[in-house]
């Protein structure tokens, strides 16, 4: 969970960019979905082995940087294609060996 004493849930709605790179994170907390206005999320250079389904609830997300983690072919949520606003995705430096099928129906991504 995100520490509530640092950023209470009622103050998360206005956050547009969240930079969590280089934090040795093993996972993205399910409470990520409480950042309902998030446009940019950078979780690069951590130890992420998967991205939780809750990220798909952030419909405003336009940029996701998850490079240099421990992600593989099964790491992306199956409902990832619900991120209709997503325009930029960086998954470089992970262990993906094939194009994620979740991205096939997301032609806007570069």
């Amino acid at each position: 969970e995100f520490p509530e004493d640092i950023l209470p849930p009622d103050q998360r709605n206005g956050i547009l960019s969240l930079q969590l790179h280089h934090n040795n994170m093993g996972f993205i907390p399910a409470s990520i979905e409480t950042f309902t206005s998030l446009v940019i999320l950078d979780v690069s250079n951590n130890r992420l082995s998967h991205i939780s389904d809750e990220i798909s609830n952030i419909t405003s997300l336009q940029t996701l940087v998850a490079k240099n983690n421990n992600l593989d072919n099964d790491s992306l949520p199956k409902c990832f294609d619900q991120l209709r606003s997503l325009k930029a995705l960086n998954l470089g430096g992970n262990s993906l060996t094939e194009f994620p099928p979740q991205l096939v129906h997301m032609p806007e991504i570069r």
Side-chain angles (χ1 to χ4, degrees):
E1 293 297 310
F2 287 97
E4 292 194 15
D5 56 335
I6 294 173
L7 190 61
D10 62 336
Q11 294 180 9
R12 296 176 185 175
N13 187 37
I15 304 294
L16 300 177
S17 178
L18 196 55
Q19 304 294 319
L20 298 173
H21 52 86
H22 293 93
N23 277 296
N24 206 27
M25 293 171 48
F27 64 96
I28 300 173
S31 59
I32 190 70
E33 69 185 354
T34 62
F35 291 85
T36 55
S37 300
L38 203 60
V39 175
I40 300 168
L41 177 60
D42 186 344
V43 291
S44 60
N45 298 292
N46 281 294
R47 297 179 299 111
L48 300 178
S49 58
H50 74 282
I51 297 177
S52 62
D53 290 344
E54 287 80 10
I55 200 167
S56 296
N57 294 327
I58 308 173
T59 57
S60 58
L61 193 64
Q62 293 180 19
T63 301
L64 175 60
V65 182
K67 64 182 180 179
N68 301 324
N69 279 289
N70 298 322
L71 302 173
D72 62 24
N73 294 344
D74 298 318
S75 297
L76 299 180
K78 301 297 181 218
C79 52
F80 201 73
D81 60 352
Q82 291 178 8
L83 291 172
R84 298 287 181 207
S85 297
L86 196 65
K87 305 274 187 271
L89 175 65
N90 187 338
L91 296 172
N94 284 291
S95 298
L96 298 168
T97 59
E98 59 186 38
F99 189 80
Q102 298 92 317
L103 305 181
V104 169
H105 300 291
M106 300 178 76
E108 305 256 342
I109 290 181
R110 54 181 168 87

